[in-house]
Amino acid sequence: WYIDYSGTKCVRDCAPGGSLDTNNECAGIIDDAWVPLYPTAGTCCGTTLPWVDNELCESNSDPSSTGTDKYYAVNPGGKCLRDCDVGLGCARVTGASTVLHNTITECCTISQNWVDDMFCASRSIDSYSNGWIVDGTNPKCVQDCAAGSSPLCANPDHDSPSTRIFATPTECCQTNLNWVDLARCVADSQGTTPTSSGDWYVDYTVQGCVEDCVGPPPCGGLRENWEFPWPNRASCCASVPWYTSC
């Protein structure tokens, strides 16, 4: 075997189409004494092409190979593809210096460390994470799923690889929307009606304090995000002592 620089691989020292060329790997008989020869493709690859992943070089050297079945990073896109011919997420490696990994997780963690793990793992199999991200328009979170498949999905599709994806709407709201009432944020994110928190807040229209609930007094409707919550009526009224009838 000897190096073929044009293809970042090694080829066999034998006549193409001859009796030794059973796998279409013969590239011609070398007649230059200075060209080093090796007993196997692996030895040739490891010695003459150290900048190329050895498994990738061996695969390139074998015309019948269907790929290494390892994973490699692809950008732009923030995902990893599998070095194979047929199957989910398959695409043969084209770069000589490509780093190969045993699993999608390893590839995402090492070669796509700037990308959110859930984004990388899901996009690598042409799917969605079904996790949660902040809605760029409203104070709530939306789901990372196919736009239009559910009212909860981000629309348009979420395509920011480095944006953090959360496992639940609660975690998303608590981390990135901590200035919004948690119960309201989660309910709005899930498309449900917010429930009463049991807190009290100042209603400047009635010049007193009302409870965060829907119904007859003392309910005053659901508290808005900008209205400060108090644990009980007494503490709420203490914050507005000028309302003597509170």
Side-chain angles (χ1 to χ4, degrees):
W1 293 79
Y2 61 94
I3 188 173
D4 175 7
Y5 286 105
S6 64
T8 58
K9 64 181 180 179
C10 289
V11 291
R12 287 191 68 190
D13 176 34
C14 49
S19 59
L20 296 177
D21 194 16
T22 57
N23 197 29
N24 297 317
E25 56 197 13
C26 292
I29 299 175
I30 287 293
D31 54 10
D32 293 316
W34 58 269
V35 176
L37 297 175
Y38 302 90
T40 65
T43 305
C44 175
C45 287
T47 305
T48 62
L49 292 166
W51 62 89
V52 181
D53 182 273
N54 204 67
E55 285 188 75
L56 177 59
C57 180
E58 286 191 63
S59 175
N60 291 341
S61 304
D62 180 3
S64 65
S65 173
T66 58
T68 62
D69 212 33
K70 298 294 182 69
Y71 295 88
Y72 62 98
V74 176
N75 286 304
K79 62 182 179 179
C80 293
L81 294 179
R82 190 157 57 106
D83 178 35
C84 51
D85 285 331
V86 180
L88 185 63
C90 281
R92 293 297 292 271
V93 173
T94 56
S97 59
T98 301
V99 177
L100 299 179
H101 303 277
N102 292 320
T103 64
I104 289 179
T105 300
E106 179 185 300
C107 177
C108 289
T109 301
I110 297 175
S111 290
Q112 298 282 37
N113 56 8
W114 62 278
V115 180
D116 177 85
D117 287 342
M118 293 175 69
F119 184 97
C120 182
S122 60
R123 297 319 189 264
S124 297
I125 56 173
D126 297 327
S127 184
Y128 297 87
S129 69
N130 290 319
W132 297 82
I133 55 174
V134 175
D135 185 345
T137 305
N138 303 296
K140 65 175 184 176
C141 293
V142 290
Q143 200 163 15
D144 175 35
C145 45
S149 63
S150 165
L152 306 182
C153 296
N155 193 359
D157 278 352
H158 171 54
D159 61 357
S160 177
S162 61
T163 297
R164 183 177 176 185
I165 300 175
F166 298 91
T168 66
T170 300
E171 185 182 6
C172 177
C173 288
Q174 285 177 323
T175 305
N176 281 2
L177 293 168
N178 56 8
W179 52 273
V180 179
D181 178 75
L182 180 59
R184 179 182 290 273
C185 180
V186 172
D188 288 346
S189 301
Q190 296 179 318
T192 58
T193 301
T195 57
S196 169
S197 66
D199 293 326
W200 289 72
Y201 63 94
V202 177
D203 185 337
Y204 294 96
T205 302
V206 301
Q207 299 185 347
C209 289
V210 293
E211 190 175 357
D212 177 27
C213 56
V214 177
C219 290
L222 296 176
R223 183 180 63 82
E224 296 294 338
N225 297 324
W226 51 269
E227 292 171 316
F228 188 82
W230 297 93
N232 51 56
R233 185 170 196 160
S235 58
C236 177
C237 288
S239 70
V240 283
W242 52 89
Y243 289 153
T244 57
S245 60
C246 183

